[in-house]
Amino acid sequence: MHLNGTIALFQYWNRLRDGGPAPRRTEVEPADIKTLLADTFILEKDTRGEAVFRLAGTRLCAIYGRELKGFSFPSLWREKDQRLVARLIHGVFRQQSVVLITYEGFSRAGRSIRFELLALPLDGGAEHPRCLGIISTAEKPFWLGADPITDALIDSIRVIDPDRDPIFLGNRPAINVPSLAPTDLEGPRTIAEFGRARRIRHLVVLDGGREE
């Protein structure tokens, strides 16, 4: 984690869970993270099992040029990355994984900017899983919020074990995942397998499976 907002939300979530897999969603107090609210979001599953925005901060809505509530979360990315994003967030819901994604966003006018996204599980019960997250950027160009982000490509993914990994992860290499990975992965896989991925030249190798 490199950005202050990402680190601050992780620390808050980590304190709330107090050694458990995830804090209860009722434990999150907006007043406690008021300086982060414009960049935060909460996801839930819709009737089809897809991750959608339950809530989204005002700055996020401005960045994407729309009200995000009820909007499909994976659809923020280019089609070839959507399957991977959906599986990662499914892991947050079902396995209470912690996921860190860096990605490049592209605006309607062709400008680009890099984002850091953190997805954290919330305990809402088996029938109502939730995900608390934040999208941050180190840059604040003049056009951000006026020229909407309409496309995105994943740069890297890290699946974090909050009980073993240090809070400040900037000194650890991320997992670089080419955009073609989600369309080429076949067969059932768990979210933990992404944490065991390694890069060999242009290939992504998932330990315990075949090479892609």
Side-chain angles (χ1 to χ4, degrees), residues 125-173:
E127 300 300 320
H128 302 286
R130 297 283 190 272
C131 169
L132 171 66
I134 187 168
I135 295 176
S136 305
T137 178
E139 305 173 69
K140 296 293 188 293
F142 72 92
W143 56 267
L144 191 64
D147 184 10
I149 297 297
T150 58
D151 192 15
L153 284 174
I154 293 174
D155 288 329
S156 67
I157 296 165
R158 184 181 287 124
V159 179
I160 300 167
D161 181 345
D163 293 318
R164 298 179 59 187
D165 292 340
I167 292 177
F168 299 98
L169 297 169
N171 61 339
R172 295 184 59 192

Short mmCIF file of all heavy atoms in Angstrom, two decimals, residues 125-173:
data_model
loop_
_atom_site.label_atom_id
_atom_site.label_comp_id
_atom_site.label_asym_id
_atom_site.label_seq_id
_atom_site.Cartn_x
_atom_site.Cartn_y
_atom_site.Cartn_z
N GLY A 125 -23.28 -11.29 7.55
CA GLY A 125 -24.03 -12.54 7.60
C GLY A 125 -23.91 -13.27 6.27
O GLY A 125 -23.56 -12.67 5.24
N ALA A 126 -24.21 -14.55 6.27
CA ALA A 126 -24.06 -15.37 5.06
C ALA A 126 -24.91 -14.87 3.91
O ALA A 126 -24.53 -14.99 2.74
CB ALA A 126 -24.40 -16.82 5.38
N GLU A 127 -26.06 -14.29 4.21
CA GLU A 127 -26.97 -13.85 3.16
C GLU A 127 -26.70 -12.43 2.66
O GLU A 127 -27.20 -12.03 1.62
CB GLU A 127 -28.41 -13.94 3.66
CG GLU A 127 -28.85 -15.34 4.06
CD GLU A 127 -28.77 -16.31 2.89
OE1 GLU A 127 -29.13 -15.91 1.77
OE2 GLU A 127 -28.33 -17.45 3.11
N HIS A 128 -25.91 -11.67 3.42
CA HIS A 128 -25.70 -10.27 3.06
C HIS A 128 -24.23 -9.88 3.19
O HIS A 128 -23.87 -9.02 3.98
CB HIS A 128 -26.56 -9.36 3.94
CG HIS A 128 -28.02 -9.64 3.88
ND1 HIS A 128 -28.80 -9.29 2.79
CD2 HIS A 128 -28.84 -10.27 4.75
CE1 HIS A 128 -30.04 -9.68 3.00
NE2 HIS A 128 -30.09 -10.28 4.18
N PRO A 129 -23.34 -10.50 2.40
CA PRO A 129 -21.94 -10.11 2.45
C PRO A 129 -21.74 -8.70 1.93
O PRO A 129 -22.47 -8.24 1.05
CB PRO A 129 -21.24 -11.14 1.56
CG PRO A 129 -22.31 -11.56 0.59
CD PRO A 129 -23.59 -11.53 1.37
N ARG A 130 -20.78 -8.01 2.49
CA ARG A 130 -20.48 -6.65 2.09
C ARG A 130 -18.98 -6.49 1.87
O ARG A 130 -18.17 -7.29 2.37
CB ARG A 130 -20.91 -5.64 3.16
CG ARG A 130 -22.41 -5.60 3.44
CD ARG A 130 -23.16 -4.84 2.37
NE ARG A 130 -24.54 -4.60 2.75
CZ ARG A 130 -25.55 -5.44 2.53
NH1 ARG A 130 -25.32 -6.59 1.93
NH2 ARG A 130 -26.77 -5.13 2.91
N CYS A 131 -18.61 -5.48 1.15
CA CYS A 131 -17.20 -5.14 0.91
C CYS A 131 -17.04 -3.64 1.11
O CYS A 131 -17.77 -2.85 0.51
CB CYS A 131 -16.79 -5.55 -0.50
SG CYS A 131 -15.19 -4.90 -1.04
N LEU A 132 -16.10 -3.25 1.96
CA LEU A 132 -15.75 -1.86 2.16
C LEU A 132 -14.48 -1.57 1.37
O LEU A 132 -13.53 -2.37 1.41
CB LEU A 132 -15.49 -1.59 3.64
CG LEU A 132 -14.91 -0.22 4.03
CD1 LEU A 132 -15.91 0.90 3.74
CD2 LEU A 132 -14.51 -0.23 5.50
N GLY A 133 -14.44 -0.48 0.64
CA GLY A 133 -13.26 -0.21 -0.17
C GLY A 133 -12.98 1.27 -0.36
O GLY A 133 -13.77 2.13 0.04
N ILE A 134 -11.84 1.52 -0.98
CA ILE A 134 -11.43 2.88 -1.27
C ILE A 134 -10.67 2.88 -2.59
O ILE A 134 -9.96 1.92 -2.91
CB ILE A 134 -10.55 3.46 -0.13
CG1 ILE A 134 -10.27 4.94 -0.37
CG2 ILE A 134 -9.25 2.67 0.05
CD1 ILE A 134 -9.66 5.64 0.84
N ILE A 135 -10.85 3.92 -3.36
CA ILE A 135 -10.09 4.14 -4.60
C ILE A 135 -9.35 5.46 -4.43
O ILE A 135 -9.98 6.51 -4.23
CB ILE A 135 -11.00 4.18 -5.83
CG1 ILE A 135 -11.67 2.82 -6.03
CG2 ILE A 135 -10.21 4.57 -7.08
CD1 ILE A 135 -12.68 2.78 -7.17
N SER A 136 -8.02 5.41 -4.51
CA SER A 136 -7.19 6.59 -4.27
C SER A 136 -6.26 6.83 -5.45
O SER A 136 -5.96 5.91 -6.23
CB SER A 136 -6.34 6.42 -3.01
OG SER A 136 -7.12 6.12 -1.88
N THR A 137 -5.80 8.04 -5.57
CA THR A 137 -4.79 8.39 -6.57
C THR A 137 -3.83 9.41 -5.98
O THR A 137 -4.25 10.28 -5.21
CB THR A 137 -5.42 8.94 -7.87
OG1 THR A 137 -4.39 9.31 -8.78
CG2 THR A 137 -6.30 10.15 -7.59
N ALA A 138 -2.56 9.26 -6.33
CA ALA A 138 -1.55 10.20 -5.82
C ALA A 138 -1.62 11.52 -6.57
O ALA A 138 -1.22 12.56 -6.06
CB ALA A 138 -0.15 9.59 -5.95
N GLU A 139 -2.15 11.48 -7.78
CA GLU A 139 -2.23 12.68 -8.61
C GLU A 139 -3.60 13.34 -8.48
O GLU A 139 -4.59 12.67 -8.22
CB GLU A 139 -1.99 12.32 -10.08
CG GLU A 139 -0.70 11.58 -10.36
CD GLU A 139 -0.64 11.12 -11.79
OE1 GLU A 139 -0.53 11.99 -12.68
OE2 GLU A 139 -0.74 9.90 -12.03
N LYS A 140 -3.62 14.63 -8.66
CA LYS A 140 -4.88 15.38 -8.67
C LYS A 140 -4.87 16.34 -9.86
O LYS A 140 -4.81 17.56 -9.71
CB LYS A 140 -5.05 16.17 -7.36
CG LYS A 140 -5.17 15.29 -6.12
CD LYS A 140 -6.44 14.47 -6.11
CE LYS A 140 -6.65 13.75 -4.78
NZ LYS A 140 -5.66 12.71 -4.51
N PRO A 141 -4.88 15.81 -11.09
CA PRO A 141 -4.84 16.68 -12.26
C PRO A 141 -6.09 17.54 -12.36
O PRO A 141 -7.15 17.18 -11.84
CB PRO A 141 -4.74 15.69 -13.42
CG PRO A 141 -5.34 14.43 -12.90
CD PRO A 141 -4.99 14.38 -11.45
N PHE A 142 -5.99 18.63 -13.06
CA PHE A 142 -7.08 19.60 -13.15
C PHE A 142 -8.34 18.98 -13.76
O PHE A 142 -9.46 19.40 -13.46
CB PHE A 142 -6.65 20.82 -13.99
CG PHE A 142 -6.52 20.53 -15.46
CD1 PHE A 142 -7.59 20.74 -16.33
CD2 PHE A 142 -5.34 20.04 -16.00
CE1 PHE A 142 -7.49 20.48 -17.69
CE2 PHE A 142 -5.22 19.78 -17.35
CZ PHE A 142 -6.29 20.00 -18.20
N TRP A 143 -8.16 17.99 -14.61
CA TRP A 143 -9.30 17.44 -15.35
C TRP A 143 -10.06 16.36 -14.60
O TRP A 143 -11.18 16.01 -14.98
CB TRP A 143 -8.83 16.87 -16.69
CG TRP A 143 -7.74 15.84 -16.57
CD1 TRP A 143 -6.39 16.05 -16.63
CD2 TRP A 143 -7.92 14.44 -16.36
NE1 TRP A 143 -5.71 14.87 -16.48
CE2 TRP A 143 -6.62 13.86 -16.31
CE3 TRP A 143 -9.04 13.61 -16.23
CZ2 TRP A 143 -6.42 12.49 -16.12
CZ3 TRP A 143 -8.85 12.25 -16.04
CH2 TRP A 143 -7.55 11.70 -15.98
N LEU A 144 -9.47 15.83 -13.52
CA LEU A 144 -10.09 14.72 -12.81
C LEU A 144 -11.39 15.17 -12.15
O LEU A 144 -11.40 16.10 -11.34
CB LEU A 144 -9.12 14.16 -11.77
CG LEU A 144 -9.52 12.83 -11.13
CD1 LEU A 144 -9.56 11.72 -12.19
CD2 LEU A 144 -8.55 12.45 -10.02
N GLY A 145 -12.48 14.53 -12.48
CA GLY A 145 -13.79 14.93 -11.99
C GLY A 145 -14.58 15.71 -13.01
O GLY A 145 -15.79 15.86 -12.87
N ALA A 146 -13.88 16.22 -14.04
CA ALA A 146 -14.56 16.93 -15.11
C ALA A 146 -14.57 16.11 -16.40
O ALA A 146 -15.51 16.21 -17.20
CB ALA A 146 -13.89 18.28 -15.36
N ASP A 147 -13.53 15.31 -16.60
CA ASP A 147 -13.41 14.43 -17.75
C ASP A 147 -13.54 12.99 -17.22
O ASP A 147 -12.59 12.44 -16.70
CB ASP A 147 -12.05 14.64 -18.43
CG ASP A 147 -11.89 13.82 -19.70
OD1 ASP A 147 -12.89 13.23 -20.17
OD2 ASP A 147 -10.75 13.76 -20.21
N PRO A 148 -14.72 12.37 -17.32
CA PRO A 148 -14.99 11.10 -16.63
C PRO A 148 -14.08 9.95 -17.07
O PRO A 148 -13.72 9.84 -18.25
CB PRO A 148 -16.45 10.80 -17.00
CG PRO A 148 -17.02 12.10 -17.43
CD PRO A 148 -15.90 12.87 -18.05
N ILE A 149 -13.74 9.10 -16.11
CA ILE A 149 -13.04 7.86 -16.41
C ILE A 149 -14.06 6.89 -17.01
O ILE A 149 -15.10 6.61 -16.41
CB ILE A 149 -12.41 7.26 -15.14
CG1 ILE A 149 -11.37 8.22 -14.56
CG2 ILE A 149 -11.80 5.89 -15.44
CD1 ILE A 149 -10.17 8.48 -15.45
N THR A 150 -13.75 6.35 -18.18
CA THR A 150 -14.68 5.46 -18.88
C THR A 150 -14.10 4.08 -19.16
O THR A 150 -14.81 3.21 -19.66
CB THR A 150 -15.11 6.09 -20.22
OG1 THR A 150 -13.94 6.34 -21.02
CG2 THR A 150 -15.85 7.41 -19.99
N ASP A 151 -12.82 3.88 -18.84
CA ASP A 151 -12.18 2.61 -19.14
C ASP A 151 -11.04 2.40 -18.14
O ASP A 151 -10.51 3.37 -17.58
CB ASP A 151 -11.63 2.62 -20.57
CG ASP A 151 -11.19 1.26 -21.06
OD1 ASP A 151 -11.56 0.26 -20.42
OD2 ASP A 151 -10.48 1.20 -22.08
N ALA A 152 -10.65 1.15 -17.90
CA ALA A 152 -9.57 0.88 -16.95
C ALA A 152 -8.91 -0.45 -17.28
O ALA A 152 -9.57 -1.38 -17.77
CB ALA A 152 -10.09 0.87 -15.52
N LEU A 153 -7.61 -0.53 -17.01
CA LEU A 153 -6.83 -1.75 -17.19
C LEU A 153 -6.04 -2.03 -15.92
O LEU A 153 -5.40 -1.13 -15.36
CB LEU A 153 -5.86 -1.63 -18.37
CG LEU A 153 -6.45 -1.73 -19.78
CD1 LEU A 153 -5.38 -1.44 -20.82
CD2 LEU A 153 -7.04 -3.12 -20.01
N ILE A 154 -6.06 -3.27 -15.45
CA ILE A 154 -5.35 -3.65 -14.24
C ILE A 154 -3.84 -3.64 -14.47
O ILE A 154 -3.35 -4.16 -15.47
CB ILE A 154 -5.80 -5.05 -13.77
CG1 ILE A 154 -7.25 -5.02 -13.30
CG2 ILE A 154 -4.90 -5.58 -12.65
CD1 ILE A 154 -7.81 -6.37 -12.96
N ASP A 155 -3.12 -3.05 -13.52
CA ASP A 155 -1.66 -3.10 -13.52
C ASP A 155 -1.16 -4.24 -12.63
O ASP A 155 -0.28 -5.00 -13.01
CB ASP A 155 -1.07 -1.78 -13.01
CG ASP A 155 -1.23 -0.65 -14.01
OD1 ASP A 155 -1.22 -0.93 -15.22
OD2 ASP A 155 -1.36 0.50 -13.58
N SER A 156 -1.68 -4.32 -11.40
CA SER A 156 -1.18 -5.33 -10.46
C SER A 156 -2.26 -5.70 -9.47
O SER A 156 -3.20 -4.95 -9.24
CB SER A 156 0.06 -4.84 -9.72
OG SER A 156 -0.26 -3.76 -8.86
N ILE A 157 -2.08 -6.88 -8.87
CA ILE A 157 -3.01 -7.40 -7.86
C ILE A 157 -2.20 -7.97 -6.72
O ILE A 157 -1.18 -8.63 -6.94
CB ILE A 157 -3.91 -8.51 -8.44
CG1 ILE A 157 -4.82 -7.96 -9.55
CG2 ILE A 157 -4.75 -9.18 -7.35
CD1 ILE A 157 -5.45 -9.05 -10.38
N ARG A 158 -2.66 -7.74 -5.51
CA ARG A 158 -2.07 -8.40 -4.34
C ARG A 158 -3.20 -8.87 -3.44
O ARG A 158 -4.07 -8.09 -3.07
CB ARG A 158 -1.15 -7.44 -3.58
CG ARG A 158 -0.43 -8.11 -2.41
CD ARG A 158 0.45 -7.12 -1.65
NE ARG A 158 1.63 -6.80 -2.42
CZ ARG A 158 1.97 -5.55 -2.76
NH1 ARG A 158 1.20 -4.53 -2.41
NH2 ARG A 158 3.06 -5.32 -3.44
N VAL A 159 -3.21 -10.15 -3.12
CA VAL A 159 -4.14 -10.69 -2.13
C VAL A 159 -3.40 -10.75 -0.81
O VAL A 159 -2.36 -11.40 -0.70
CB VAL A 159 -4.65 -12.09 -2.54
CG1 VAL A 159 -5.60 -12.63 -1.49
CG2 VAL A 159 -5.35 -12.02 -3.89
N ILE A 160 -3.92 -10.06 0.20
CA ILE A 160 -3.20 -9.83 1.46
C ILE A 160 -3.74 -10.72 2.56
O ILE A 160 -4.95 -10.87 2.72
CB ILE A 160 -3.34 -8.35 1.88
CG1 ILE A 160 -2.74 -7.44 0.80
CG2 ILE A 160 -2.69 -8.08 3.23
CD1 ILE A 160 -3.10 -5.97 0.98
N ASP A 161 -2.83 -11.28 3.32
CA ASP A 161 -3.19 -11.94 4.58
C ASP A 161 -2.92 -10.92 5.68
O ASP A 161 -1.77 -10.68 6.04
CB ASP A 161 -2.35 -13.19 4.79
CG ASP A 161 -2.71 -13.93 6.08
OD1 ASP A 161 -3.39 -13.34 6.94
OD2 ASP A 161 -2.29 -15.08 6.24
N PRO A 162 -3.97 -10.28 6.24
CA PRO A 162 -3.74 -9.20 7.21
C PRO A 162 -3.11 -9.68 8.51
O PRO A 162 -2.59 -8.86 9.27
CB PRO A 162 -5.15 -8.64 7.46
CG PRO A 162 -6.06 -9.76 7.10
CD PRO A 162 -5.39 -10.51 5.99
N ASP A 163 -3.13 -10.98 8.77
CA ASP A 163 -2.51 -11.50 9.98
C ASP A 163 -1.02 -11.79 9.81
O ASP A 163 -0.30 -11.95 10.78
CB ASP A 163 -3.21 -12.78 10.43
CG ASP A 163 -4.63 -12.53 10.89
OD1 ASP A 163 -4.85 -11.52 11.58
OD2 ASP A 163 -5.52 -13.31 10.52
N ARG A 164 -0.57 -11.84 8.55
CA ARG A 164 0.83 -12.17 8.31
C ARG A 164 1.59 -11.07 7.60
O ARG A 164 2.77 -10.87 7.83
CB ARG A 164 0.93 -13.46 7.48
CG ARG A 164 0.35 -14.68 8.17
CD ARG A 164 0.44 -15.91 7.29
NE ARG A 164 1.83 -16.20 6.92
CZ ARG A 164 2.17 -17.15 6.05
NH1 ARG A 164 1.22 -17.86 5.46
NH2 ARG A 164 3.43 -17.38 5.76
N ASP A 165 0.92 -10.35 6.69
CA ASP A 165 1.60 -9.31 5.94
C ASP A 165 1.68 -8.04 6.77
O ASP A 165 0.77 -7.70 7.51
CB ASP A 165 0.84 -9.01 4.64
CG ASP A 165 0.92 -10.16 3.66
OD1 ASP A 165 1.83 -11.00 3.82
OD2 ASP A 165 0.08 -10.23 2.75
N PRO A 166 2.76 -7.27 6.60
CA PRO A 166 2.85 -5.98 7.29
C PRO A 166 1.84 -5.00 6.74
O PRO A 166 1.40 -5.11 5.59
CB PRO A 166 4.29 -5.52 6.99
CG PRO A 166 4.65 -6.22 5.72
CD PRO A 166 3.94 -7.55 5.78
N ILE A 167 1.45 -4.04 7.55
CA ILE A 167 0.48 -3.03 7.11
C ILE A 167 1.03 -2.21 5.96
O ILE A 167 0.35 -1.90 5.00
CB ILE A 167 0.08 -2.13 8.29
CG1 ILE A 167 -0.74 -2.94 9.30
CG2 ILE A 167 -0.73 -0.93 7.82
CD1 ILE A 167 -1.12 -2.17 10.53
N PHE A 168 2.30 -1.85 6.07
CA PHE A 168 2.90 -1.04 5.02
C PHE A 168 3.59 -1.97 4.03
O PHE A 168 4.62 -2.55 4.34
CB PHE A 168 3.89 -0.04 5.62
CG PHE A 168 3.22 0.90 6.57
CD1 PHE A 168 3.28 0.66 7.94
CD2 PHE A 168 2.51 1.99 6.11
CE1 PHE A 168 2.64 1.53 8.83
CE2 PHE A 168 1.88 2.86 7.00
CZ PHE A 168 1.95 2.61 8.35
N LEU A 169 3.00 -2.13 2.86
CA LEU A 169 3.44 -3.15 1.92
C LEU A 169 4.17 -2.56 0.72
O LEU A 169 4.37 -3.25 -0.27
CB LEU A 169 2.21 -3.94 1.43
CG LEU A 169 1.47 -4.71 2.53
CD1 LEU A 169 0.16 -5.23 2.00
CD2 LEU A 169 2.32 -5.84 3.05
N GLY A 170 4.56 -1.31 0.80
CA GLY A 170 5.16 -0.66 -0.35
C GLY A 170 6.48 -1.25 -0.77
O GLY A 170 6.91 -1.08 -1.90
N ASN A 171 7.17 -1.99 0.13
CA ASN A 171 8.47 -2.55 -0.21
C ASN A 171 8.37 -3.95 -0.80
O ASN A 171 9.36 -4.60 -1.04
CB ASN A 171 9.37 -2.60 1.03
CG ASN A 171 8.78 -3.47 2.13
OD1 ASN A 171 7.59 -3.71 2.14
ND2 ASN A 171 9.62 -3.90 3.06
N ARG A 172 7.13 -4.46 -1.02
CA ARG A 172 6.97 -5.79 -1.58
C ARG A 172 6.50 -5.69 -3.02
O ARG A 172 5.65 -4.87 -3.34
CB ARG A 172 5.95 -6.60 -0.76
CG ARG A 172 6.39 -6.88 0.65
CD ARG A 172 5.40 -7.76 1.35
NE ARG A 172 5.25 -9.02 0.64
CZ ARG A 172 4.26 -9.88 0.91
NH1 ARG A 172 3.37 -9.61 1.82
NH2 ARG A 172 4.19 -11.01 0.24
N PRO A 173 7.04 -6.54 -3.89
CA PRO A 173 6.61 -6.48 -5.29
C PRO A 173 5.18 -6.93 -5.45
O PRO A 173 4.73 -7.87 -4.80
CB PRO A 173 7.58 -7.44 -6.00
CG PRO A 173 8.00 -8.38 -4.92
CD PRO A 173 8.04 -7.56 -3.64
#
